[in-house]
């Protein structure tokens, strides 16, 4: 029985034309992803992942600074779209927790997620946990400092009401496609 998993197929450097994969093939694909990329970060561990990149590439903290947009909107092509908070109904939750079809469908994703977490932990070990946690604390302090100092002065492309603010757009000298303007 195969598992449909387009994300693994997209990330994999292995060429495959089938839309289904066996569990053994998924493990091989996950390994090819880890072997084929220099680094695979973990979204839920964003600051840790960025700290590892900083240390691996020997970059200054200033190159890793970012501000999170405080508006509930996503900007693309001069349009602000509201980002709905995720909602999982009790019925959906029960399905996700018990459905063999759902578990089979996400098996490859879970394999990749677990492997990326393991890889991140091993990289932290290789860098030295004391060094890593010292840098992580510095990075978190720098992000907090920048947010405290800059967030009120920062212009985002969407207003708090979801109106595109062309005066804040890249034409007004903003950087990185209007993110982090100020």
């Amino acid at each position: 029985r195969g598992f449909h998993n387009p994300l693994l197929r997209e990330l994999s450097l292995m060429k495959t034309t089938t839309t289904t994969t066996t569990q053994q093939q998924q493990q091989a694909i996950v390994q090819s992803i880890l072997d084929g990329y220099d680094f695979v970060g973990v979204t839920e561990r964003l600051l840790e992942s960025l700290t590892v990149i900083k240390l691996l590439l020997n970059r200054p903290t200033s190159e890793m600074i970012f501000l999170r947009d405080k508006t509930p909107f996503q900007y693309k092509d001069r349009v602000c779209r509201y980002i709905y908070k995720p909602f999982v109904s009790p019925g959906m939750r029960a399905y996700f927790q018990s459905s063999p079809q759902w578990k089979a469908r996400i098996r490859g994703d879970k394999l990749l997620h677990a492997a990326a977490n393991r890889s991140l932990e091993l990289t932290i070990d290789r860098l030295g946990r004391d060094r890593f946690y010292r840098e992580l604390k510095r990075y978190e302090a720098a992000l907090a400092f920048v947010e405290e100092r800059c967030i009120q002065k920062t212009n985002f492309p969407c207003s708090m009401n979801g109106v595109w603010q062309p005066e804040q757009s890249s034409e007004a000298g903003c950087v990185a496609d209007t993110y982090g303007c100020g």
Side-chain angles (χ1 to χ4, degrees):
R1 187 172 173 177
F3 309 104
H4 179 75
N5 197 307
L7 179 61
L8 282 186
R9 204 172 49 255
E10 242 352 270
L11 289 172
S12 176
L13 300 176
M14 296 171 59
K15 298 295 178 216
T16 179
T17 56
T18 62
T19 59
T20 59
T21 54
T22 65
Q23 191 169 353
Q24 186 177 9
Q25 288 170 320
Q26 285 181 340
Q27 290 171 336
I29 290 170
V30 166
Q31 190 58 53
S32 80
I33 291 169
L34 294 178
D35 292 343
Y37 293 91
D38 292 328
F39 182 79
V40 177
V42 179
T43 305
E44 299 87 352
R45 298 176 68 186
L46 178 64
L47 298 184
E48 292 169 275
S49 295
L50 290 173
T51 300
V52 165
I53 291 172
K54 176 193 177 313
L55 290 169
L56 290 173
L57 299 177
N58 195 29
R59 305 310 306 162
T61 300
S62 60
E63 290 184 9
M64 309 306 284
I65 297 295
F66 65 92
L67 282 174
R68 291 190 170 112
D69 189 340
K70 296 297 182 186
T71 69
F73 297 94
Q74 178 184 44
Y75 169 78
K76 185 174 182 183
D77 299 327
R78 299 179 181 207
V79 176
C80 297
R81 290 182 180 86
Y82 184 76
I83 302 170
Y84 291 92
K85 293 187 181 196
F87 171 75
V88 179
S89 71
M92 289 169 61
R93 188 176 320 282
Y95 174 78
F96 293 147
Q97 291 173 346
S98 64
S99 166
Q101 294 87 357
W102 176 253
K103 289 180 179 183
R105 183 174 180 88
I106 65 166
R107 187 172 289 125
D109 294 337
K110 290 182 79 155
L111 282 170
L112 180 58
H113 188 262
N117 264 301
R118 252 189 332 273
S119 178
L120 183 59
E121 287 298 323
L122 291 171
T123 304
I124 291 169
D125 285 342
R126 198 172 77 242
L127 290 166
R129 288 202 172 264
D130 288 343
R131 177 181 176 215
F132 169 79
Y133 283 112
R134 221 176 15 257
E135 282 301 317
L136 177 60
K137 284 197 183 307
R138 261 190 231 141
Y139 183 41
E140 289 171 334
L143 287 171
F145 176 81
V146 168
E147 183 159 330
E148 179 184 317
R149 288 277 182 109
C150 301
I151 197 70
Q152 296 305 321
K153 301 175 195 172
T154 303
N155 304 318
F156 293 103
C158 297
S159 73
M160 288 302 285
N161 298 324
V163 176
W164 178 59
Q165 307 174 101
E167 69 278 6
Q168 312 301 347
S169 72
S170 57
E171 293 91 12
C174 297
V175 296
D177 194 28
T178 76
Y179 297 104
C181 310

